[in-house]
Amino acid sequence: MEQENIPTIKPEPEWMAQIESDRRLNISSCYQCRKCTNGCPVTFAMDIYPDQVIRLVQLGQRDRVLRCNTIWICAACETCTTRCPNDVDIAGIMDYLKERAIEAGVHVPEQKTYIFHSVFLNDVKRRGRVFEGRLMQSYMIKSGELWNKIKDGSIKEEISLGWTLFRKGRLRILPKGIKAKKEVRKILM
Amino acid sequence: MKVSYYPGCSLEGTARDYEESIQAVCKELEIELQELPDWNCCGATAAHSLNHWAAISLSGRNLVIAEKMGEDVVVPCPLCFNRLKTAEKALLGVDKGQFQYTLHGKVKVWDMANFISQDGVLDIIESKVKKPLEGLKVVCYYGCMSSRPPKITDAKDCENPVSMDRILKCLGADVIPWSYKTDCCGASHVIARPDLVFKLVGKLYQKAAEVGAECFVVSCQMCQANLDMYQDKVASKLGTEIYFPIFYFTELIGLALGNPGVKTWLSRHFVDPLRLLKGKNLI
Amino acid sequence: METKGNLGTGNKIGAIAVIGGGISGIQASLDAANSGFKVFLIESNTSIGGVMAQLDKTFPTNDCSTCMISPKLIEVAKHPNIEIISYADVLDISGPPGNFSVKIKKKARYVDENKCVGCGICASKCPKKVPDAFNRGLGKRKAIYVSFPQAVPLIYTIDKENCIYFKNGRCRACEKFCENNAIDFAQQDEIIEIGAGTIILAPGFETFDASIRGEYGYGRYPNVITSIEYERILSAGGPSQGHIQRPSDSQVPKRIAWIQCVGSRDASMGRGYCSYVCCMYAIKQAVISKEHDREIDTCIFYIDIRAQGKGFDRYFERARSESGVRFVRSMISRVVENPISHNLEINYIDESGEIRTEEFDMVILSVGLSPNQAFQDLARKLEVELNQFGFCESRGLELVSTSRPGFFVCGVFQSPKDIPETVLQGSSAAAEAMGFLADVRGTMVAEEVYPEERDVRGEEPRIGVFVCHCGINIAGVVDVKAVSEFAKTLSHVVFADNYLFACSTDTQEEMKKIIKEHKLNRVVVASCSPRTHEPLFQDTLREAGLNKYLFEMANIRDQNSWVHANEKENATEKAKDLVRMSVARAALLEPLHEVPFNVVQKGLVVGGGLAGLTAALTLAEQGYETYLIERSADLGGNARTLYYTEEGARPSEYLKDLVQKVKDNRFIRVYTNAEVIDCSGHVGRFTSTISVNGKKEEISYGVAIVATGGEEYKPKEYLYGENNKVLTQRELEERLASCDEGLKNIKDLVMIQCVGSRDDEHPYCSRVCCTEAVKNALKLKELNPKVNIYVLYRDIRTFGFKEFYYKKARENGVRFIRYEADKKPQVREVDGILQIVVYDPNLRSDIELKADILTLSAAIRPHSDSKSLATVFKLPCDQDGFFLEAHLKLRPLDFTNAGFFLCGLAHGPKFADESVAQAKGAASRACTILSKAQMYVGGAVAQVDGSRCVACLTCVRTCPYNVPRLDEEEGVIYIDTAACQGCGNCATACPRGAVVVAHNTDEQFLAKITALY
Amino acid sequence: MEDFQPKIEAFVCTYCTYTAADMAGSQRLQYPSTVRVVKYLCTGKVEIVHILKAFEAGADAVFVGG
């Protein structure tokens, strides 16, 4: 993805103070070595690099980082966190920023990813476990993919994939639920 | 040997082949798997992406159940394993007071492949191998979640895990060393951003081909799905032919031990492994 | 149990035990032994030399490491007052300071140390090959071995683990072939105990185990190697004879990458410190690789380049601009291998933000330094306090002091450091160890007594020729018998014979007897090399009553049998030629007498700052009267305004105490408002006129220590002097120290680094500024946690343990923003507010900051007065105006001009604790002269024939040491025999042939040359 | 001419080239035996007459290393 030029930055230190009291992510420890970016498998799809996200957070550029696609492109593979010489939990920061982005109601550039996560959690909320068939249905509808795929004809591929799975005995017909649904629902409130 | 067992949601559905092979192999190895009663979903990527506290609590609840059962808990799905370990560290760590579940750290959470690769278990496997997988050129592909980050997973060799290598060597397979054991397959991005996954798995195919591997061995149903289900599509995107059967390590144990269920499990794959195995006289 | 030393008397012992025989231990030993102390040098390996002996070239001079260290090794080996106890571990140390008892286990070598002459026949016959630890496993050695050819002591050791006899009970080849019967399979470990007044710890370091950082594939991929392994590959003495080869296929790599900070600056692995040397050694390795083959592409991946030492930044810049080494500021995440080609692939984002994949043939991991692991338990047992990483804790500003009285530390065991700092700490530790024992100096040293010299003047030459077999080293190639028979036919030769080992103790006795019996008045030995053995044979001559200048050596081993092993006949002929040449010269040799003079056992220290005060006090504590000359009215210098260090020490308070001690010391004479006007004399005996408050006075002294200090650059940039909110780092410190209330209310503070450093005019790093910035930022945060601090830097150079404070500053919210040399920050005043715009190269974006205070990290410059002092003393300065030491690596405290030493900021930018250590080191070096009541001058030096000299001054211009001077009264040149080095340049240059160099006369050379073929 | 092995006379500095020649020995690097070394403390002392004398004595070439 084309890297964006970032306009002149005026640091706003207050936000960092809040994050640091919120959660242990060691953002301040970063010395900008870029090991996280160099090891990230999905930088090619990011609008700003992981090290830049950390630096922008350090400089309090809240709006900029909450709107970037990087935090949604992150595959949570934990390579960055594993290898960071300063124990910065970069992958954890990506999660943290996603939460803040939703909370702040900013436009999420990776809508489909966000919708997938949402329907996933809804599914868990409903039964305590995920029912894959149902999950995919909800996702297709909510994300608009169903309509898109019908329009461009690629729905055929989806149907064939689903059918193959079914044929190979890998799609359940009925979901399994757990007894302690209430407890799980409470967790996800 | 008796252990608790946390299968995770996928093993009830799309990863049925994995589940079946685990059950069969553990039975033969006299590992008694006791499924955790009324376990719930670990929350997976969705929970930790959108709700940190919920993510810890979802897995925390399962750990509390496991602790009540009193046996070490074995987890086949690396993502579930990773989430349970994350919850374990959180619930035993400095912030433990902030969560609704309390843990005492009495049971150990095991990644299935690591559990099976223990010396004692390998000895049993070795003694039971009926059909060594001679000549089968495999690369072991571990993916991310059973290894990283080591501060969560307690993996000693997170950059070069060897559990499946040890198992496959014990089965007599030709295990080829390569540098991409713990590369990311893109995981759940396959739903919303399949383009990312195709690029990542495309590279894995290419690198596996370079070292002369004939198939992948995995321990993760997400990796299995991403590598197995879209091979045709990736091949046509890359403009080449790709044929890599993607085995669960448990399937290959079953094969070497002569388990009758093997064909059923393998029939559930998208890429037909029988062509390769027949060519090697292994089936 | 064998007992050595003066045990159990309850008094102080005039001996020092040095634990560790690396370069720091060697330097400490030499200084102490040359200053009147007995030294026990205890080394756990089979030979001394440490890691330095394993290195190839060294930065920033590209000198050969082995060539530099081997003369030191030899000096130690032949020093009468140093006893090397090698292949030995210290078990325990008991007793009070001044009277320690050191219990040592001497490990069995299975070779008799007294019999082994190091000929190496045993190793050539040993059938067992094992990986060579000295070559880091890259090559093979035998089961009986010496670490390297120049090893000291040159005694072979059987590696019991691998010896076939020890394993199978059969073989004993070494025993069979050893002509000196030195092999002793029955040898046992032995416990000995020695007495020592003080202890110097110098156990050194090992390198980080790179396999722990698994992402780089060390141990899995053959072509991923560590930097120390690469040193061996580069080394001419290494496994590939200095040819660059990669391990997988012995091909010459065309693309080499270095990855920095492997096991350093890595807090996540509990290694949060910087290892100091890796940036520079990587640059050096890249430069040397390029010198081997211009076609090799070299690329260094780094975080910050740490070139904080003297001459380092220039070296770095040259590497980049002239050698074409690529530098990429990007920490590599992992290395992947193509298993077919064994080439290695690296992904990184380059400085323009582009993601790149590059293939290399070899990857070198710049591994960090760890303290000697084997020493950790002993250190704990000895109750020597270690830090969290196992390095020895220092005491405040006194880097070489440990928690245990009477124990001192030096080298990398104290903290990661480079060779010069290691060497100077060796001297520094020696100073401390000696200071404690000053009253028992000279009580345990052996003074050799020689018989009176026979006067041979007027005698016909009677030459004896001794031809050495050196086991089979010579005799295996050269027909030594034929050579000695041939020698008998040469004119003046009255005796010739051949010996198994000319250097062995029994042959030496034999030689003395023969000299007397045959009334020999010249001796020629045809054997190994004068570099290693001339002093030994000269000593034998003296013991036989002959002048040592009547000796000549023919090198028939190193330069004959070893290099012509395949041409036996020709080698024999050549040996004859070489003997003929030597005999021809020997016939013309003249006895020379060195003249004794009484040393003025007083020191002069110029400069009354921290370094000068420390140097003066150290000399005084050793019992030597010292003059301390300070140009200003008060003592103290720059340290007066150094209020605190990042580690919590308080230099200004330390200084107050120091000034008092100096004032109270009866051995120190302090002159303030004083300067040195002139200087005459030579080492051991100088005279100067000094001006004190305008009055002139004359003083005499034996040595001079230059400590004229430095000063802070007054910036001309960034509105300094125009806006009162712009301060230098020292001005900020002053305000911080006085708890300036104004500082508590500021909101934003910006610091700019490298102001006046690392620019075109001043291409050096001022070393301390990064740490100063970090220190002041932390202090300010302590005072006012809400303040926003931005540090604009080029490379953060918080080396060693200073890296913690950099991390601590980051954790406390100090933001570090990098700027590039060609895009300096822009400072403006907008409506009374300072506005700074800096371009962040990682974000590729401008950052706009406002500041209530802007602090400039201004450079350190040499003191403006140092130039005039350099003229008075005729001392050299470097391009930046700092005084230039004799050698950047191994003689960091000496000047080339004998009798002069340097320390403190006069030498270059440094920290207060480093100045203290350096000052003690300089004093230690000075003691090697002051401790002698008499010195000798003359011998092989230049003499001027006044009747031929026309005072054309050619020699004055030619002499590299500035020795010849015009004697204005006589109108001829005068060459000071004490200062002359004997190089002979003057003699060659003199158009009138008025200069003759004794022992190197034209007649002697011509005789030799005429006898060539 | 093919067998011609020039006699080379080397005037060397004790600190660098002589040391290097010794090092060549300790590594057993082989070179023709027609090379002869004369050690100077410093090659600054090499006089022209030394070089001429070497030729007179039979040297085919003179090498000065310092």
Side-chain angles (χ1 to χ4, degrees), chain B residues 69-140:
Chain B
M69 298 279 289
E71 307 288 346
D72 284 0
V73 52
V74 177
V75 188
C77 165
L79 179 53
C80 298
F81 164 76
N82 195 291
R83 296 317 308 162
L84 290 177
K85 287 295 283 185
T86 305
E88 177 193 84
K89 300 288 173 191
L91 296 181
L92 295 171
V94 282
D95 294 329
K96 58 183 171 192
Q98 301 178 27
F99 299 94
Q100 68 190 91
Y101 295 105
T102 313
L103 215 60
H104 304 95
K106 284 182 192 152
V107 301
K108 184 174 167 173
V109 181
W110 283 91
D111 159 64
M112 184 111 214
N114 264 324
F115 183 80
I116 301 279
S117 74
Q118 295 176 90
D119 287 340
V121 183
L122 283 188
D123 290 345
I124 303 172
I125 294 177
E126 199 167 14
S127 70
K128 294 196 174 202
V129 169
K130 292 198 184 107
K131 190 182 288 179
L133 307 181
E134 269 159 25
L136 187 65
K137 293 185 180 129
V138 308
V139 283
C140 296

Side-chain angles (χ1 to χ4, degrees), chain B residues 113-275:
Chain B
N114 264 324
F115 183 80
I116 301 279
S117 74
Q118 295 176 90
D119 287 340
V121 183
L122 283 188
D123 290 345
I124 303 172
I125 294 177
E126 199 167 14
S127 70
K128 294 196 174 202
V129 169
K130 292 198 184 107
K131 190 182 288 179
L133 307 181
E134 269 159 25
L136 187 65
K137 293 185 180 129
V138 308
V139 283
C140 296
Y141 176 63
Y142 297 80
C144 313
M145 297 280 92
S146 58
S147 316
R148 280 192 300 261
K151 279 178 181 151
I152 295 293
T153 61
D154 294 320
K156 279 187 197 70
D157 43 14
C158 71
E159 298 290 352
N160 182 34
V162 292
S163 56
M164 285 196 283
D165 293 53
R166 280 161 52 86
I167 294 167
L168 269 292
K169 271 179 200 155
C170 176
L171 301 178
D174 186 357
V175 181
I176 303 177
W178 70 323
S179 297
Y180 302 88
K181 284 179 179 179
T182 60
D183 272 37
C184 179
C185 73
S188 65
H189 269 316
V190 76
I191 308 298
R193 288 293 304 266
D195 55 320
L196 298 188
V197 171
F198 296 163
K199 188 154 176 169
L200 296 173
V201 299
K203 183 174 172 190
L204 290 170
Y205 297 142
Q206 184 207 329
K207 296 298 177 187
E210 270 174 24
V211 297
E214 297 163 328
C215 58
F216 285 68
V217 185
V218 300
S219 64
C220 170
Q221 78 291 341
M222 201 74 234
C223 298
Q224 204 278 344
N226 282 353
L227 284 164
D228 184 48
M229 282 168 68
Y230 312 99
Q231 236 175 66
D232 291 349
K233 213 166 175 173
V234 175
S236 70
K237 271 181 193 292
L238 295 174
T240 60
E241 264 186 43
I242 298 173
Y243 171 66
F244 279 117
I246 315 294
F247 296 104
Y248 288 109
F249 73 100
T250 43
E251 291 175 331
L252 290 182
I253 299 176
L255 177 65
L257 266 48
N259 192 286
V262 171
K263 276 195 178 166
T264 318
W265 315 331
L266 297 182
S267 73
R268 304 193 192 281
H269 292 202
F270 276 58
V271 177
D272 175 24
L274 296 183
R275 196 175 110 198

Side-chain angles (χ1 to χ4, degrees), chain A residues 16-81:
Chain A
M16 255 307 286
Q18 192 195 324
I19 300 176
E20 301 245 282
S21 67
D22 248 23
R23 210 177 286 170
R24 246 178 273 281
L25 297 163
N26 290 338
I27 299 170
S28 280
S29 298
C30 172
Y31 57 36
Q32 298 282 309
C33 72
R34 315 187 101 174
K35 195 175 186 182
C36 47
T37 297
N38 288 338
C40 177
V42 285
T43 41
F44 63 86
M46 292 174 168
D47 54 1
I48 49 178
Y49 293 134
D51 72 286
Q52 295 177 316
V53 171
I54 308 298
R55 168 48 38 116
L56 289 170
V57 172
Q58 282 189 344
L59 297 174
Q61 305 300 293
R62 182 173 172 275
D63 285 353
R64 182 67 196 86
V65 290
L66 294 189
R67 280 170 213 283
C68 71
N69 84 348
T70 302
I71 56 179
W72 298 97
I73 293 295
C74 167
C77 75
E78 302 274 356
T79 304
C80 48
T81 298

Side-chain angles (χ1 to χ4, degrees), chain C residues 483-537:
Chain C
V483 175
S484 64
E485 286 307 316
F486 168 77
K488 283 179 186 163
T489 68
L490 297 168
S491 59
H492 301 304
V493 173
V494 295
F495 173 87
D497 205 348
N498 52 81
Y499 296 86
L500 188 57
F501 290 104
C503 61
S504 67
T505 322
D506 51 337
T507 311
Q508 296 288 290
E509 288 306 314
E510 178 83 5
M511 206 182 276
K512 277 188 256 178
K513 229 162 63 196
I514 290 165
I515 290 172
K516 284 178 188 154
E517 272 173 20
H518 294 262
K519 292 205 167 51
L520 301 182
N521 54 23
R522 308 283 191 283
V523 172
V524 171
V525 172
S527 66
C528 44
S529 170
R531 286 176 52 255
T532 51
H533 282 69
E534 192 171 51
L536 176 90
F537 293 121

